Amino acid sequence: MIRDSLLRYSLLTGALLALGLSSVFAQTGAFTSAAAAPDPKSGARSAATGLAEQEFRRGVQSYYRGAFNDAVVEFEKALDYLPTENVIMDWLGKAYYRSGIEGAALQQWEYASENGYGGLLLKNKIEIVRDRRITDNRYDSPVRYTESGSFMGKKPDKDSELIFSQPVSVLPNSDGTHWIIAYGTNELLKMDVNGFVLFRTGGPLNGFDRPMDIIRLSSGNLLVSEFAGDRLSELSSDGRFIKSFGHKGRDVGGMIGPQYLAQDADDNVYVSDFGNARIDVFDKDGKELFFFGGKTAGFSGLKGPTGIAVVDQVVYVVDAITGAIYTFDTAGNYTGILCKEKTFKQPESMKTWSNFLVICDRNKVYSVDSETGAIFENMNTGNAPSRVTSAVPDANGNILVTDFKANEVFVMSKMSELVGGLFVQIERVNADSFPKVYVDVKVENRRRQSVVGLKAENFVLTENKGGVENLKLEGSAYTNDTADITIVLDRSFESADYEEGMEHAVKEIASAMAEKNKNADGETRGVLRIVSAGLVPVVEYEGSPEGVLNFTCAALKTRPSEVVSLDLALRLSSNALVGASSKRAVVFIGAGSVTQNAFEKYSLSDLSAFMNNNSIWFSSVLLSQRSPDAEIDYLSSNTEGEEYYVYRTRGLSEVVDHIVDIPSGIYRLSFTSRLPTDFGQRYLPVEVETYMMNRSGRDETGYFSPLQ
């Protein structure tokens, strides 16, 4: 009897809870389908609606915990009760997207869009995700760029207030800021993405003397050429003067009007010496080495060298008088001509971008294929008085162009980026401390590149279209200097022959990670995981990187196998990183081959989508000096990763450096909610808009506060 009474009480309570949740969703409008509408006579909603709402709430909570597979199951259950509910379709699409199953995500979003849900915002999301799936995101071919904004040398409303004069060169930073060389005011300035000056310096004690170009040395320090000072000045990474070297003259180490700079893989510095019509070479410490570019057999000599670049041990020099690009080896020997004479009219700087040389020529910017010499016009400033002197790609996929005559630095973007805008996603809402709510927002361009350097003023956040209180930017992931890394060890028979190299790689990465992740108190941050990829993947280690400084393959639980389920190992590794530090990566260590059926459960496109959609990067350390199989190369090239040889000259510490330095466009905002929660049962809508110059993006989602 007592048991039957408890059962009836439990069923009654569940029914009342369902009715309560139905009332809540009716007030907030979360569910909009006819099937979810209340009965016109009684005002009550169906049991199916109440059950759908319970599954929906659990799905939202699972999604924000990073349990995307659980969220998919719960949203599908909710759809079983309300098959035409657009809100559930939208959330199911989000869960599929974060799980890497983009095809299924697009299908759900398209169903909802066809039903009139989501408007232009959802249509734009569908277009961007579909375009990403069929378009190579790498800079393998040049395109046209158009102006998306500019940094002016004078304030537009105050003509007499000078910010800088005659910008001649620009150097982007990985955090979205950039250095500007102001030739007219003899200054070096640091500006953010919104055009605010963060720092300025005049260089040496006696000041810069017509600074001309700036590059970042392999040490991280900055190097500035001084055209009238006939010297080079080295500054720290934050712009503090260190030393000057070089002098006026025609001897080795002497210069007359040094202009543009470049550095090769051996850290030697090349300077285009216009007055001496040659290229001067210094080592990384500023010691003079030699010069080249004079008349030799088969070469009439440089006449007026300006732009210079080094790609794969080939030195490219563009001549402003002859209008040609000549090639030399790193010893200064003339090797040929890339672009014939009179190709360019008044060329200035020449910088590298992927396999291309980006050259400024009067009012135009060109891309030149460094192998074939093929030329493409990237941009044209028109007929206005103009003299572009420097064009370089920034951290956000734009091109920064200095215009000496117009006294502006232009931000050039692809037309598709301007029309389509930014891709903004609310990745997580944490309402555990309600009414204080934390929101993680990811900002990218259409090609998956993270947008970094944004400030609080770049965001507008609302709840149910109304303003919020105490909006604050809590942090930006691109500033993080800590990374979580999962190492995947290939346990194939081929890789088993290279166990010594594998042990070396693990130890060096762990050592670099331990050193890189130390805080001011000397404590090691970050988590290192080791996963063995055999027939079945196994987590061998999880903890501080210092715990595997004496790693040996003999301690592994997984024995070498003929079949390696690499897809399962990568999925396992990536799942563990979803809730990790915002800088996170999978590092694969193996001979470079994949076994048969290595990607039987998960396809390459699904794996790369899962990693990209959760900001996880994939790099590989190869144990043999050979090109990796296409599958390994595909994952590296499609997730911002790199490929390294285990015994490379520079060592493997750069593996960790590269992971920490990869831009991450995740921002954490906080605010105080003003919405009623109905004891945690009400679905609370939240929206965010992101603005950057002439581009913007928007996302909408919702959350539940804790039950009370």
Side-chain angles (χ1 to χ4, degrees), residues 315-335:
V315 182
Y316 298 88
V317 180
V318 63
D319 196 298
I321 295 177
T322 66
I325 298 180
Y326 304 103
T327 62
F328 303 83
D329 62 24
T330 52
N333 300 305
Y334 173 74
T335 56

Side-chain angles (χ1 to χ4, degrees), residues 151-164 407:
F151 308 118
M152 302 178 66
K154 291 183 179 180
K155 291 189 176 181
D157 55 339
K158 299 179 181 179
D159 290 338
S160 60
E161 189 168 343
L162 189 68
I163 302 174
F164 55 79
N407 198 35

Side-chain angles (χ1 to χ4, degrees), residues 52-246:
E53 288 162 354
Q54 293 180 57
E55 295 294 346
F56 177 76
R57 189 182 197 280
R58 284 194 284 266
V60 171
Q61 292 174 323
S62 296
Y63 180 90
Y64 287 143
R65 289 198 311 270
F68 305 122
N69 292 340
D70 292 345
V72 166
V73 172
E74 284 145 359
F75 290 135
E76 286 181 337
K77 286 181 181 178
L79 272 182
D80 286 341
Y81 295 114
L82 294 176
T84 61
E85 180 51 60
N86 295 322
V87 176
I88 303 176
M89 291 182 196
D90 182 25
W91 272 93
L92 180 57
K94 292 178 183 179
Y96 276 133
Y97 178 78
R98 293 294 297 278
S99 296
I101 312 173
E102 293 181 337
L106 286 170
Q107 186 179 54
Q108 295 300 323
W109 288 333
E110 286 167 351
Y111 287 155
S113 181
E114 289 168 0
N115 292 336
Y117 175 83
L120 290 176
L121 181 62
L122 183 56
K123 291 182 187 299
N124 186 57
K125 179 189 287 187
I126 293 171
E127 179 192 351
I128 291 175
V129 173
R130 184 186 291 119
D131 184 62
R132 286 176 170 183
R133 301 185 76 211
I134 62 175
T135 304
D136 192 343
N137 298 315
R138 293 170 291 176
Y139 186 81
D140 286 342
S141 59
V143 296
R144 290 283 300 181
Y145 284 76
T146 187
E147 182 183 345
S148 64
S150 67
F151 308 118
M152 302 178 66
K154 291 183 179 180
K155 291 189 176 181
D157 55 339
K158 299 179 181 179
D159 290 338
S160 60
E161 189 168 343
L162 189 68
I163 302 174
F164 55 79
S165 175
Q166 297 178 315
V168 68
S169 185
V170 62
L171 177 68
N173 298 314
S174 61
D175 62 358
T177 62
H178 52 274
W179 297 100
I180 296 175
I181 290 289
Y183 184 90
T185 48
N186 289 315
E187 283 184 311
L188 172 64
L189 301 91
K190 187 178 185 180
M191 302 183 75
D192 68 11
V193 294
N194 299 311
F196 293 109
V197 177
L198 305 176
F199 175 81
R200 65 172 74 225
T201 178
L205 185 61
N206 58 343
F208 287 128
D209 195 352
R210 299 306 180 198
M212 190 74 184
D213 192 20
I214 179 172
I215 63 170
R216 181 175 291 104
L217 301 174
S218 60
S219 64
N221 288 343
L222 309 175
L223 189 66
V224 175
S225 61
E226 299 181 57
F227 183 78
D230 299 317
R231 65 187 180 189
L232 308 180
S233 290
E234 185 175 352
L235 298 91
S236 65
S237 59
D238 59 357
R240 308 296 176 182
F241 176 75
I242 298 175
K243 65 180 180 181
S244 293
F245 56 90

